[in-house]
Amino acid sequence: MPDDAPDIRRGLEGVYVAQSAICKVDGVEGRLYYRGYAIEELAANSSFEEVCYLLLYGKLPQRAELTQFNEALVKERELPEDIIYLIKALTGKERAIDVMRTTISALPAYDSETYDSSAEANLRKSIRLISKIASIIAATGRFSKGEGYTTPNPQLGHAANFLYMLNGTEPEAEDAKLLNKMLILHAEHSSNASTFSTMVAGSTLADLYAAVVAGISALKGPLHGGADEQALAMMRAIGSAENTGRYIDDALSGKQRIMGFGHRVYKTYDPRARIIKSDLEALQNSADAEVKNLTSIALAAEKIMVERLGKTRNIWPNVDFFSGPIYTALGIPPELFTPLFAASRMPGWCAHMLEYWRDNRLFRPMEQYTGAVGLKYVPMDQRE
Ligand code: ACO
């Protein structure tokens, strides 16, 4: 290939950047595996904590290993006092996702192992990050409602404790179970934009905190993790199931993207969306009128989009589409959707870093220069 005609793959579409044994995304068959286990099995049987272990250590834990891992996570739930003040100071002044990103950036100040790059220290930091990010989001949620910080409850599992810290009351077992499933579904997805960003930053041998902050920055955009909040905003704008068809037709004829649909890899129904669709259907009977209405809009939109773009253009619902009504049913406000996505994806980002650092190579792709060369410098007073 001559230098003046390089093979440019826009958006790195179809480009392989690494080998990995963490996750397989089969975009043709609509299948997803973490460390070889089908997402359907993990979502039905596992806990988020167990999936974190699986992703980080590469195998399902024995009972004693999981107990020890759970204890390590519980121990890391507390936030340094300064961090709680920082969250409080920023909440309301910037978006929750930015509060979270800034706060994660501040955590190294309280971690003596930040610059210890051994695999053991990075595992310990991964556990800290998985645990603390949930506490940070819950605290942001509390402060944004004008309420106080809730101290973590060591008796509760990860999902239940998050809801407890956010809402101040112990959740129903069913709610904790549903959130647990959502966390599992979002925990990992190979080299998507945020994981790749994490890996790019990490490949410079920056520390784990710096690497995941790059991941959070990439996740927040509406073409990636930010789509869940936008999808809910669209459902609210639609207003009722009856309006859905008209709204979508207007949007599509105006060349607008419908958030929560389409995927770079899945050219079929996203298996994660398929799993939560049944939970969404169950919400049709919710006693909460808003949840019931959002659910009916989401189901109507899904049906219309499958006809309009799924069957004809392979643009199917992705996992972000159904999250809104489910999180609303769990008492999670929309500004926390994308932060919660980051909390779910933290084990995936960390697992990728742990794996990539075992055989690190700096990411440094090329770009084709299309500007001029050899221009003569013109002094300021002679410029036209
Ligand atoms: N609504 C309407 N049209 C769409 C949508 C959509 N959601 N997604 C893609 N298209 C159309 C594009 O307009 C484009 O049409 P054209 O060929 O007539 O110009 C065509 O499909 C291809 O789109 P691309 O952006 O080139 O496809 P890409 O592979 O880059 O798309 C993406 C992936 C960015 C996710 C896209 O589908 C999108 O913008 N979806 C909405 C945002 C979203 O839901 N993101 C979450 C993704 S999942 C996740 O990150 C967890």
Side-chain angles (χ1 to χ4, degrees), residues 13 222-225 227 252 255-264 267 272 305 309 313 315 318-320 341:
E13 183 163 359
L223 294 188
H224 188 15
L252 291 179
K255 295 266 174 230
Q256 271 181 48
R257 283 180 188 231
I258 310 293
M259 292 297 147
F261 286 85
H263 199 274
R264 177 65 65 76
K267 297 305 169 198
R272 302 164 300 174
M305 283 292 282
L309 296 184
R313 300 197 53 199
I315 297 170
N318 62 56
V319 67
D320 282 336
F341 191 159

PDB file of all heavy atoms in Angstrom, residues 13 222-225 227 252 255-264 267 272 305 309 313 315 318-320 341, ligand 1:
ATOM      1  N   GLU A  13     -13.267   0.701  12.440  1.00  0.00           N
ATOM      2  CA  GLU A  13     -14.256  -0.353  12.185  1.00  0.00           C
ATOM      3  C   GLU A  13     -13.583  -1.597  11.610  1.00  0.00           C
ATOM      4  O   GLU A  13     -12.833  -1.516  10.625  1.00  0.00           O
ATOM      5  CB  GLU A  13     -15.335   0.171  11.219  1.00  0.00           C
ATOM      6  CG  GLU A  13     -16.424  -0.853  10.992  1.00  0.00           C
ATOM      7  CD  GLU A  13     -17.681  -0.253  10.390  1.00  0.00           C
ATOM      8  OE1 GLU A  13     -17.732   0.968  10.159  1.00  0.00           O
ATOM      9  OE2 GLU A  13     -18.612  -1.037  10.145  1.00  0.00           O
ATOM     10  N   PRO A 222     -23.223  10.324  24.030  1.00  0.00           N
ATOM     11  CA  PRO A 222     -24.498   9.687  23.688  1.00  0.00           C
ATOM     12  C   PRO A 222     -24.407   8.566  22.652  1.00  0.00           C
ATOM     13  O   PRO A 222     -25.324   7.760  22.543  1.00  0.00           O
ATOM     14  CB  PRO A 222     -25.359  10.849  23.163  1.00  0.00           C
ATOM     15  CG  PRO A 222     -24.409  11.935  22.831  1.00  0.00           C
ATOM     16  CD  PRO A 222     -23.203  11.760  23.703  1.00  0.00           C
ATOM     17  N   LEU A 223     -23.297   8.499  21.916  1.00  0.00           N
ATOM     18  CA  LEU A 223     -23.186   7.377  20.972  1.00  0.00           C
ATOM     19  C   LEU A 223     -22.771   6.095  21.695  1.00  0.00           C
ATOM     20  O   LEU A 223     -22.803   5.010  21.128  1.00  0.00           O
ATOM     21  CB  LEU A 223     -22.164   7.690  19.869  1.00  0.00           C
ATOM     22  CG  LEU A 223     -22.528   8.825  18.912  1.00  0.00           C
ATOM     23  CD1 LEU A 223     -21.529   8.898  17.765  1.00  0.00           C
ATOM     24  CD2 LEU A 223     -23.947   8.669  18.354  1.00  0.00           C
ATOM     25  N   HIS A 224     -22.370   6.234  22.960  1.00  0.00           N
ATOM     26  CA  HIS A 224     -21.931   5.054  23.737  1.00  0.00           C
ATOM     27  C   HIS A 224     -22.801   4.984  25.000  1.00  0.00           C
ATOM     28  O   HIS A 224     -24.035   4.909  24.895  1.00  0.00           O
ATOM     29  CB  HIS A 224     -20.426   5.198  24.008  1.00  0.00           C
ATOM     30  CG  HIS A 224     -19.745   4.014  24.631  1.00  0.00           C
ATOM     31  ND1 HIS A 224     -20.300   2.759  24.686  1.00  0.00           N
ATOM     32  CD2 HIS A 224     -18.514   3.901  25.236  1.00  0.00           C
ATOM     33  CE1 HIS A 224     -19.443   1.933  25.294  1.00  0.00           C
ATOM     34  NE2 HIS A 224     -18.357   2.606  25.635  1.00  0.00           N
ATOM     35  N   GLY A 225     -22.219   5.078  26.167  1.00  0.00           N
ATOM     36  CA  GLY A 225     -22.987   4.875  27.404  1.00  0.00           C
ATOM     37  C   GLY A 225     -24.021   5.946  27.680  1.00  0.00           C
ATOM     38  O   GLY A 225     -24.995   5.697  28.406  1.00  0.00           O
ATOM     39  N   ALA A 227     -26.192   6.964  25.867  1.00  0.00           N
ATOM     40  CA  ALA A 227     -27.448   6.725  25.138  1.00  0.00           C
ATOM     41  C   ALA A 227     -28.606   6.382  26.068  1.00  0.00           C
ATOM     42  O   ALA A 227     -29.772   6.670  25.759  1.00  0.00           O
ATOM     43  CB  ALA A 227     -27.246   5.602  24.114  1.00  0.00           C
ATOM     44  N   LEU A 252     -37.218   9.920  12.266  1.00  0.00           N
ATOM     45  CA  LEU A 252     -36.467   9.244  11.205  1.00  0.00           C
ATOM     46  C   LEU A 252     -36.515  10.040   9.907  1.00  0.00           C
ATOM     47  O   LEU A 252     -35.514  10.117   9.182  1.00  0.00           O
ATOM     48  CB  LEU A 252     -37.010   7.819  10.983  1.00  0.00           C
ATOM     49  CG  LEU A 252     -36.750   6.833  12.133  1.00  0.00           C
ATOM     50  CD1 LEU A 252     -37.359   5.471  11.821  1.00  0.00           C
ATOM     51  CD2 LEU A 252     -35.253   6.682  12.415  1.00  0.00           C
ATOM     52  N   LYS A 255     -33.958  12.536   9.775  1.00  0.00           N
ATOM     53  CA  LYS A 255     -32.606  11.938   9.855  1.00  0.00           C
ATOM     54  C   LYS A 255     -32.030  11.942  11.278  1.00  0.00           C
ATOM     55  O   LYS A 255     -30.819  11.978  11.482  1.00  0.00           O
ATOM     56  CB  LYS A 255     -31.621  12.671   8.915  1.00  0.00           C
ATOM     57  CG  LYS A 255     -31.930  12.544   7.445  1.00  0.00           C
ATOM     58  CD  LYS A 255     -31.138  11.385   6.848  1.00  0.00           C
ATOM     59  CE  LYS A 255     -31.511  11.100   5.401  1.00  0.00           C
ATOM     60  NZ  LYS A 255     -31.814   9.718   5.104  1.00  0.00           N
ATOM     61  N   GLN A 256     -32.913  11.932  12.260  1.00  0.00           N
ATOM     62  CA  GLN A 256     -32.435  11.862  13.654  1.00  0.00           C
ATOM     63  C   GLN A 256     -32.117  10.417  14.027  1.00  0.00           C
ATOM     64  O   GLN A 256     -32.756   9.500  13.519  1.00  0.00           O
ATOM     65  CB  GLN A 256     -33.557  12.318  14.588  1.00  0.00           C
ATOM     66  CG  GLN A 256     -33.582  13.800  14.867  1.00  0.00           C
ATOM     67  CD  GLN A 256     -34.730  14.091  15.829  1.00  0.00           C
ATOM     68  OE1 GLN A 256     -34.886  13.433  16.841  1.00  0.00           O
ATOM     69  NE2 GLN A 256     -35.543  15.064  15.473  1.00  0.00           N
ATOM     70  N   ARG A 257     -31.168  10.267  14.922  1.00  0.00           N
ATOM     71  CA  ARG A 257     -30.891   8.926  15.455  1.00  0.00           C
ATOM     72  C   ARG A 257     -31.811   8.650  16.630  1.00  0.00           C
ATOM     73  O   ARG A 257     -32.040   9.532  17.451  1.00  0.00           O
ATOM     74  CB  ARG A 257     -29.451   8.833  15.919  1.00  0.00           C
ATOM     75  CG  ARG A 257     -28.552   8.681  14.753  1.00  0.00           C
ATOM     76  CD  ARG A 257     -27.117   8.591  15.107  1.00  0.00           C
ATOM     77  NE  ARG A 257     -26.423   8.653  13.822  1.00  0.00           N
ATOM     78  CZ  ARG A 257     -25.504   7.793  13.429  1.00  0.00           C
ATOM     79  NH1 ARG A 257     -25.097   6.854  14.241  1.00  0.00           N
ATOM     80  NH2 ARG A 257     -24.964   7.898  12.234  1.00  0.00           N
ATOM     81  N   ILE A 258     -32.290   7.443  16.708  1.00  0.00           N
ATOM     82  CA  ILE A 258     -33.110   7.062  17.857  1.00  0.00           C
ATOM     83  C   ILE A 258     -32.160   6.396  18.847  1.00  0.00           C
ATOM     84  O   ILE A 258     -31.600   5.329  18.575  1.00  0.00           O
ATOM     85  CB  ILE A 258     -34.232   6.070  17.440  1.00  0.00           C
ATOM     86  CG1 ILE A 258     -35.002   6.605  16.231  1.00  0.00           C
ATOM     87  CG2 ILE A 258     -35.145   5.777  18.617  1.00  0.00           C
ATOM     88  CD1 ILE A 258     -35.818   7.844  16.464  1.00  0.00           C
ATOM     89  N   MET A 259     -31.961   7.058  19.979  1.00  0.00           N
ATOM     90  CA  MET A 259     -30.975   6.569  20.953  1.00  0.00           C
ATOM     91  C   MET A 259     -31.417   5.226  21.533  1.00  0.00           C
ATOM     92  O   MET A 259     -32.601   5.024  21.799  1.00  0.00           O
ATOM     93  CB  MET A 259     -30.792   7.597  22.068  1.00  0.00           C
ATOM     94  CG  MET A 259     -30.125   8.851  21.587  1.00  0.00           C
ATOM     95  SD  MET A 259     -28.459   8.487  21.010  1.00  0.00           S
ATOM     96  CE  MET A 259     -28.281   9.659  19.696  1.00  0.00           C
ATOM     97  N   GLY A 260     -30.431   4.356  21.716  1.00  0.00           N
ATOM     98  CA  GLY A 260     -30.749   3.029  22.239  1.00  0.00           C
ATOM     99  C   GLY A 260     -30.978   2.006  21.129  1.00  0.00           C
ATOM    100  O   GLY A 260     -31.343   0.858  21.400  1.00  0.00           O
ATOM    101  N   PHE A 261     -30.741   2.445  19.887  1.00  0.00           N
ATOM    102  CA  PHE A 261     -30.850   1.509  18.749  1.00  0.00           C
ATOM    103  C   PHE A 261     -29.563   1.561  17.939  1.00  0.00           C
ATOM    104  O   PHE A 261     -28.933   2.615  17.819  1.00  0.00           O
ATOM    105  CB  PHE A 261     -32.027   1.887  17.841  1.00  0.00           C
ATOM    106  CG  PHE A 261     -33.350   1.546  18.449  1.00  0.00           C
ATOM    107  CD1 PHE A 261     -33.957   2.439  19.314  1.00  0.00           C
ATOM    108  CD2 PHE A 261     -33.956   0.324  18.201  1.00  0.00           C
ATOM    109  CE1 PHE A 261     -35.166   2.129  19.919  1.00  0.00           C
ATOM    110  CE2 PHE A 261     -35.163   0.003  18.807  1.00  0.00           C
ATOM    111  CZ  PHE A 261     -35.772   0.913  19.663  1.00  0.00           C
ATOM    112  N   GLY A 262     -29.212   0.421  17.354  1.00  0.00           N
ATOM    113  CA  GLY A 262     -28.031   0.332  16.507  1.00  0.00           C
ATOM    114  C   GLY A 262     -26.801  -0.025  17.323  1.00  0.00           C
ATOM    115  O   GLY A 262     -26.734   0.238  18.534  1.00  0.00           O
ATOM    116  N   HIS A 263     -25.852  -0.648  16.666  1.00  0.00           N
ATOM    117  CA  HIS A 263     -24.626  -1.068  17.337  1.00  0.00           C
ATOM    118  C   HIS A 263     -23.567  -1.322  16.266  1.00  0.00           C
ATOM    119  O   HIS A 263     -23.885  -1.829  15.192  1.00  0.00           O
ATOM    120  CB  HIS A 263     -24.857  -2.340  18.159  1.00  0.00           C
ATOM    121  CG  HIS A 263     -23.827  -2.569  19.193  1.00  0.00           C
ATOM    122  ND1 HIS A 263     -22.646  -3.217  18.925  1.00  0.00           N
ATOM    123  CD2 HIS A 263     -23.767  -2.206  20.505  1.00  0.00           C
ATOM    124  CE1 HIS A 263     -21.919  -3.258  20.028  1.00  0.00           C
ATOM    125  NE2 HIS A 263     -22.573  -2.650  20.999  1.00  0.00           N
ATOM    126  N   ARG A 264     -22.323  -0.979  16.601  1.00  0.00           N
ATOM    127  CA  ARG A 264     -21.250  -1.211  15.628  1.00  0.00           C
ATOM    128  C   ARG A 264     -21.035  -2.707  15.379  1.00  0.00           C
ATOM    129  O   ARG A 264     -20.729  -3.127  14.259  1.00  0.00           O
ATOM    130  CB  ARG A 264     -19.951  -0.564  16.163  1.00  0.00           C
ATOM    131  CG  ARG A 264     -18.718  -0.754  15.315  1.00  0.00           C
ATOM    132  CD  ARG A 264     -18.793  -0.084  13.942  1.00  0.00           C
ATOM    133  NE  ARG A 264     -18.867   1.338  13.928  1.00  0.00           N
ATOM    134  CZ  ARG A 264     -17.858   2.187  14.152  1.00  0.00           C
ATOM    135  NH1 ARG A 264     -16.655   1.732  14.416  1.00  0.00           N
ATOM    136  NH2 ARG A 264     -18.051   3.481  14.098  1.00  0.00           N
ATOM    137  N   LYS A 267     -25.340  -6.849  14.551  1.00  0.00           N
ATOM    138  CA  LYS A 267     -26.200  -6.567  13.416  1.00  0.00           C
ATOM    139  C   LYS A 267     -27.457  -7.428  13.547  1.00  0.00           C
ATOM    140  O   LYS A 267     -28.065  -7.868  12.586  1.00  0.00           O
ATOM    141  CB  LYS A 267     -25.458  -6.816  12.087  1.00  0.00           C
ATOM    142  CG  LYS A 267     -24.254  -5.860  11.925  1.00  0.00           C
ATOM    143  CD  LYS A 267     -24.634  -4.369  12.062  1.00  0.00           C
ATOM    144  CE  LYS A 267     -23.425  -3.440  12.168  1.00  0.00           C
ATOM    145  NZ  LYS A 267     -23.739  -2.104  12.714  1.00  0.00           N
ATOM    146  N   ARG A 272     -28.239  -8.684  25.314  1.00  0.00           N
ATOM    147  CA  ARG A 272     -28.487  -8.064  26.624  1.00  0.00           C
ATOM    148  C   ARG A 272     -29.859  -7.404  26.630  1.00  0.00           C
ATOM    149  O   ARG A 272     -30.596  -7.456  27.615  1.00  0.00           O
ATOM    150  CB  ARG A 272     -27.382  -7.039  26.925  1.00  0.00           C
ATOM    151  CG  ARG A 272     -25.993  -7.645  26.922  1.00  0.00           C
ATOM    152  CD  ARG A 272     -24.915  -6.586  26.833  1.00  0.00           C
ATOM    153  NE  ARG A 272     -25.014  -5.771  25.629  1.00  0.00           N
ATOM    154  CZ  ARG A 272     -24.266  -4.712  25.366  1.00  0.00           C
ATOM    155  NH1 ARG A 272     -23.358  -4.322  26.226  1.00  0.00           N
ATOM    156  NH2 ARG A 272     -24.416  -4.044  24.231  1.00  0.00           N
ATOM    157  N   MET A 305     -39.632   0.183  15.820  1.00  0.00           N
ATOM    158  CA  MET A 305     -38.259   0.251  15.293  1.00  0.00           C
ATOM    159  C   MET A 305     -37.826  -1.073  14.666  1.00  0.00           C
ATOM    160  O   MET A 305     -37.085  -1.082  13.681  1.00  0.00           O
ATOM    161  CB  MET A 305     -37.290   0.655  16.404  1.00  0.00           C
ATOM    162  CG  MET A 305     -37.316   2.129  16.729  1.00  0.00           C
ATOM    163  SD  MET A 305     -36.664   3.168  15.398  1.00  0.00           S
ATOM    164  CE  MET A 305     -34.902   2.931  15.620  1.00  0.00           C
ATOM    165  N   LEU A 309     -36.538  -0.275  11.118  1.00  0.00           N
ATOM    166  CA  LEU A 309     -35.090  -0.326  10.871  1.00  0.00           C
ATOM    167  C   LEU A 309     -34.442  -1.684  11.148  1.00  0.00           C
ATOM    168  O   LEU A 309     -33.394  -1.979  10.594  1.00  0.00           O
ATOM    169  CB  LEU A 309     -34.360   0.732  11.716  1.00  0.00           C
ATOM    170  CG  LEU A 309     -34.673   2.200  11.414  1.00  0.00           C
ATOM    171  CD1 LEU A 309     -33.786   3.108  12.269  1.00  0.00           C
ATOM    172  CD2 LEU A 309     -34.460   2.533   9.950  1.00  0.00           C
ATOM    173  N   ARG A 313     -32.763  -2.693   7.968  1.00  0.00           N
ATOM    174  CA  ARG A 313     -31.403  -2.136   7.959  1.00  0.00           C
ATOM    175  C   ARG A 313     -30.509  -2.692   9.067  1.00  0.00           C
ATOM    176  O   ARG A 313     -29.408  -2.181   9.290  1.00  0.00           O
ATOM    177  CB  ARG A 313     -31.477  -0.609   8.080  1.00  0.00           C
ATOM    178  CG  ARG A 313     -32.267   0.012   6.920  1.00  0.00           C
ATOM    179  CD  ARG A 313     -32.007   1.483   6.798  1.00  0.00           C
ATOM    180  NE  ARG A 313     -30.591   1.776   6.726  1.00  0.00           N
ATOM    181  CZ  ARG A 313     -30.061   2.970   6.975  1.00  0.00           C
ATOM    182  NH1 ARG A 313     -30.866   3.968   7.297  1.00  0.00           N
ATOM    183  NH2 ARG A 313     -28.774   3.175   6.899  1.00  0.00           N
ATOM    184  N   ILE A 315     -30.734  -2.407  12.206  1.00  0.00           N
ATOM    185  CA  ILE A 315     -30.546  -1.497  13.342  1.00  0.00           C
ATOM    186  C   ILE A 315     -31.550  -1.936  14.406  1.00  0.00           C
ATOM    187  O   ILE A 315     -32.753  -1.702  14.285  1.00  0.00           O
ATOM    188  CB  ILE A 315     -30.750  -0.025  12.916  1.00  0.00           C
ATOM    189  CG1 ILE A 315     -29.684   0.353  11.875  1.00  0.00           C
ATOM    190  CG2 ILE A 315     -30.684   0.907  14.121  1.00  0.00           C
ATOM    191  CD1 ILE A 315     -29.917   1.686  11.203  1.00  0.00           C
ATOM    192  N   ASN A 318     -30.429  -1.815  21.337  1.00  0.00           N
ATOM    193  CA  ASN A 318     -29.246  -2.216  22.106  1.00  0.00           C
ATOM    194  C   ASN A 318     -29.587  -2.150  23.596  1.00  0.00           C
ATOM    195  O   ASN A 318     -30.674  -1.715  23.975  1.00  0.00           O
ATOM    196  CB  ASN A 318     -28.016  -1.376  21.725  1.00  0.00           C
ATOM    197  CG  ASN A 318     -28.198   0.107  22.022  1.00  0.00           C
ATOM    198  OD1 ASN A 318     -28.485   0.479  23.153  1.00  0.00           O
ATOM    199  ND2 ASN A 318     -28.044   0.943  21.005  1.00  0.00           N
ATOM    200  N   VAL A 319     -28.634  -2.547  24.429  1.00  0.00           N
ATOM    201  CA  VAL A 319     -28.903  -2.687  25.869  1.00  0.00           C
ATOM    202  C   VAL A 319     -29.376  -1.376  26.505  1.00  0.00           C
ATOM    203  O   VAL A 319     -30.115  -1.377  27.485  1.00  0.00           O
ATOM    204  CB  VAL A 319     -27.639  -3.229  26.583  1.00  0.00           C
ATOM    205  CG1 VAL A 319     -26.504  -2.218  26.558  1.00  0.00           C
ATOM    206  CG2 VAL A 319     -27.927  -3.665  28.003  1.00  0.00           C
ATOM    207  N   ASP A 320     -28.947  -0.252  25.925  1.00  0.00           N
ATOM    208  CA  ASP A 320     -29.288   1.038  26.534  1.00  0.00           C
ATOM    209  C   ASP A 320     -30.758   1.405  26.382  1.00  0.00           C
ATOM    210  O   ASP A 320     -31.242   2.281  27.083  1.00  0.00           O
ATOM    211  CB  ASP A 320     -28.450   2.155  25.898  1.00  0.00           C
ATOM    212  CG  ASP A 320     -27.043   2.183  26.450  1.00  0.00           C
ATOM    213  OD1 ASP A 320     -26.862   1.697  27.580  1.00  0.00           O
ATOM    214  OD2 ASP A 320     -26.145   2.678  25.759  1.00  0.00           O
ATOM    215  N   PHE A 341     -23.718   2.892  34.560  1.00  0.00           N
ATOM    216  CA  PHE A 341     -23.114   2.095  33.483  1.00  0.00           C
ATOM    217  C   PHE A 341     -21.605   1.999  33.738  1.00  0.00           C
ATOM    218  O   PHE A 341     -20.998   0.920  33.645  1.00  0.00           O
ATOM    219  CB  PHE A 341     -23.422   2.784  32.143  1.00  0.00           C
ATOM    220  CG  PHE A 341     -23.096   1.982  30.909  1.00  0.00           C
ATOM    221  CD1 PHE A 341     -23.716   2.290  29.692  1.00  0.00           C
ATOM    222  CD2 PHE A 341     -22.192   0.933  30.919  1.00  0.00           C
ATOM    223  CE1 PHE A 341     -23.434   1.579  28.541  1.00  0.00           C
ATOM    224  CE2 PHE A 341     -21.902   0.210  29.767  1.00  0.00           C
ATOM    225  CZ  PHE A 341     -22.511   0.550  28.582  1.00  0.00           C
TER     226      PHE A 341
HETATM  227  N1  ACO B   1     -31.321   5.609  14.633  1.00  0.00           N
HETATM  228  C1  ACO B   1     -31.449   5.902  13.345  1.00  0.00           C
HETATM  229  N2  ACO B   1     -30.518   5.606  12.403  1.00  0.00           N
HETATM  230  C2  ACO B   1     -29.406   4.983  12.803  1.00  0.00           C
HETATM  231  C3  ACO B   1     -29.215   4.632  14.147  1.00  0.00           C
HETATM  232  C4  ACO B   1     -30.225   4.969  15.080  1.00  0.00           C
HETATM  233  N3  ACO B   1     -30.085   4.681  16.377  1.00  0.00           N
HETATM  234  N4  ACO B   1     -28.016   4.017  14.275  1.00  0.00           N
HETATM  235  C5  ACO B   1     -27.477   3.993  13.052  1.00  0.00           C
HETATM  236  N5  ACO B   1     -28.316   4.576  12.155  1.00  0.00           N
HETATM  237  C6  ACO B   1     -28.105   4.743  10.728  1.00  0.00           C
HETATM  238  C7  ACO B   1     -27.175   5.934  10.467  1.00  0.00           C
HETATM  239  O1  ACO B   1     -27.894   7.140  10.357  1.00  0.00           O
HETATM  240  C8  ACO B   1     -26.516   5.535   9.193  1.00  0.00           C
HETATM  241  O2  ACO B   1     -27.425   5.776   8.145  1.00  0.00           O
HETATM  242  P1  ACO B   1     -26.925   6.221   6.678  1.00  0.00           P
HETATM  243  O3  ACO B   1     -26.117   5.055   6.180  1.00  0.00           O
HETATM  244  O4  ACO B   1     -28.174   6.451   5.928  1.00  0.00           O
HETATM  245  O5  ACO B   1     -26.082   7.447   6.887  1.00  0.00           O
HETATM  246  C9  ACO B   1     -26.382   4.025   9.323  1.00  0.00           C
HETATM  247  O6  ACO B   1     -27.379   3.609  10.235  1.00  0.00           O
HETATM  248  C10 ACO B   1     -25.023   3.588   9.848  1.00  0.00           C
HETATM  249  O7  ACO B   1     -24.706   4.347  11.011  1.00  0.00           O
HETATM  250  P2  ACO B   1     -23.246   4.491  11.581  1.00  0.00           P
HETATM  251  O8  ACO B   1     -23.231   5.587  12.573  1.00  0.00           O
HETATM  252  O9  ACO B   1     -22.238   4.532  10.480  1.00  0.00           O
HETATM  253  O10 ACO B   1     -23.069   3.082  12.252  1.00  0.00           O
HETATM  254  P3  ACO B   1     -22.156   2.750  13.468  1.00  0.00           P
HETATM  255  O11 ACO B   1     -21.732   1.363  13.328  1.00  0.00           O
HETATM  256  O12 ACO B   1     -21.072   3.754  13.667  1.00  0.00           O
HETATM  257  O13 ACO B   1     -23.274   2.943  14.612  1.00  0.00           O
HETATM  258  C11 ACO B   1     -23.890   3.600  16.742  1.00  0.00           C
HETATM  259  C12 ACO B   1     -23.186   2.554  15.891  1.00  0.00           C
HETATM  260  C13 ACO B   1     -22.978   4.816  16.885  1.00  0.00           C
HETATM  261  C14 ACO B   1     -24.108   2.971  18.110  1.00  0.00           C
HETATM  262  C15 ACO B   1     -25.233   4.027  16.127  1.00  0.00           C
HETATM  263  O14 ACO B   1     -26.049   2.913  15.888  1.00  0.00           O
HETATM  264  C16 ACO B   1     -25.953   5.070  16.970  1.00  0.00           C
HETATM  265  O15 ACO B   1     -25.652   6.253  16.864  1.00  0.00           O
HETATM  266  N6  ACO B   1     -26.942   4.607  17.809  1.00  0.00           N
HETATM  267  C17 ACO B   1     -27.608   5.505  18.741  1.00  0.00           C
HETATM  268  C18 ACO B   1     -26.768   5.698  19.990  1.00  0.00           C
HETATM  269  C19 ACO B   1     -26.743   4.485  20.849  1.00  0.00           C
HETATM  270  O16 ACO B   1     -27.765   3.860  21.127  1.00  0.00           O
HETATM  271  N7  ACO B   1     -25.555   4.158  21.345  1.00  0.00           N
HETATM  272  C20 ACO B   1     -25.367   3.036  22.285  1.00  0.00           C
HETATM  273  C21 ACO B   1     -24.636   1.944  21.605  1.00  0.00           C
HETATM  274  S1  ACO B   1     -24.564   0.516  22.636  1.00  0.00           S
HETATM  275  C22 ACO B   1     -23.492   0.947  23.861  1.00  0.00           C
HETATM  276  O17 ACO B   1     -22.609   1.731  23.691  1.00  0.00           O
HETATM  277  C23 ACO B   1     -23.685   0.332  25.130  1.00  0.00           C
END
